[in-house]
Amino acid sequence: MKKLLLTLSLLGCSTFIFAQSTLKSNTDWLTTHLNKLVINDDDKQLNVNGNKSKPVFSFAGNKMLMDISAKDKDFSMGFNISWSLKDVRKVSYKKEKNGNYELVLDVPADRVKVDLGFGKDNNIGGSFNVKDDEKDSHTSFTLATKDENVVKEITQHFESAIREARK
């Protein structure tokens, strides 16, 4: 009986470690590809005195982080937006008119945390969550690719990471 309990405990630990390494593997892959492929739409980007910004993506465990900042010599502004992967209801994509793809993450707005800083050194700021008044809250990113297979692979890595985060 003691051996059975020890075996079950070891099996449970190895399953947890495998799940964590799978999550990390997927989020590392997503970090690389999102940072390479996400492009700014002129109407959606942060611009301070002509200095444009580009979102930077990272993951901390099952938390997705998107940082956007813009600076010049007298002023800086930064947004840190985050949500838990387990809160993503759906991952999809659609083809844009120019042939690129848009990745769409359906995340309830009240699950999205926003930290804002501005001033000369981002020394004034605050945090808030958005109120979820819509049933179809989503965040979307334009991808610099016309290759649907690449977008399908991104979607699969997201779905796998979300499954692991929910365990």
Side-chain angles (χ1 to χ4, degrees):
M1 183 67 167
K2 211 176 201 182
K3 284 184 180 180
L4 178 63
L5 288 175
L6 180 62
T7 303
L8 289 174
S9 295
L10 289 173
L11 182 61
C13 287
S14 64
T15 302
F16 175 75
I17 291 168
F18 176 74
Q20 290 301 313
S21 68
T22 302
L23 177 63
K24 179 155 178 34
S25 169
N26 279 310
T27 57
D28 286 350
W29 189 93
L30 285 166
T31 297
T32 299
H33 287 78
L34 290 174
N35 286 326
K36 183 172 78 171
L37 292 174
V38 171
I39 57 176
N40 282 330
D41 290 335
D42 286 336
D43 61 334
K44 295 180 185 174
Q45 67 187 344
L46 182 62
N47 186 333
V48 174
N49 292 336
N51 296 319
K52 297 178 181 179
S53 66
K54 183 179 188 314
V56 176
F57 298 90
S58 61
F59 292 83
N62 71 354
K63 188 177 190 180
M64 182 174 177
L65 309 159
M66 181 175 66
D67 297 322
I68 305 169
S69 63
K71 295 181 180 183
D72 76 359
K73 63 181 180 138
D74 297 322
F75 185 78
S76 65
M77 178 178 275
F79 291 95
N80 301 57
I81 304 165
S82 63
W83 57 84
S84 175
L85 286 171
K86 65 183 178 182
D87 291 330
V88 178
R89 295 184 284 210
K90 182 179 177 185
V91 181
S92 59
Y93 63 90
K94 57 186 174 186
K95 194 170 192 170
E96 296 181 331
K97 290 179 183 178
N98 65 4
N100 285 342
Y101 284 88
E102 179 180 34
L103 180 68
V104 180
L105 301 177
D106 182 3
V107 183
D110 62 343
R111 299 291 188 182
V112 176
K113 181 178 182 199
V114 179
D115 295 316
L116 168 67
F118 60 93
K120 184 168 179 158
D121 297 311
N122 277 336
N123 53 3
I124 301 171
S127 296
F128 62 92
N129 284 37
V130 181
K131 186 173 180 187
D132 190 12
D133 286 332
E134 298 179 37
K135 289 183 180 177
D136 295 320
S137 303
H138 71 275
T139 300
S140 61
F141 310 104
T142 301
L143 303 173
T145 183
K146 293 178 178 19
D147 186 347
E148 186 174 13
N149 290 326
V150 170
V151 182
K152 283 181 181 178
E153 192 172 7
I154 290 171
T155 302
Q156 290 167 351
H157 278 275
F158 258 114
E159 289 170 344
S160 179
I162 291 165
R163 276 192 304 277
E164 292 302 323
R166 289 181 178 159
K167 287 184 178 180

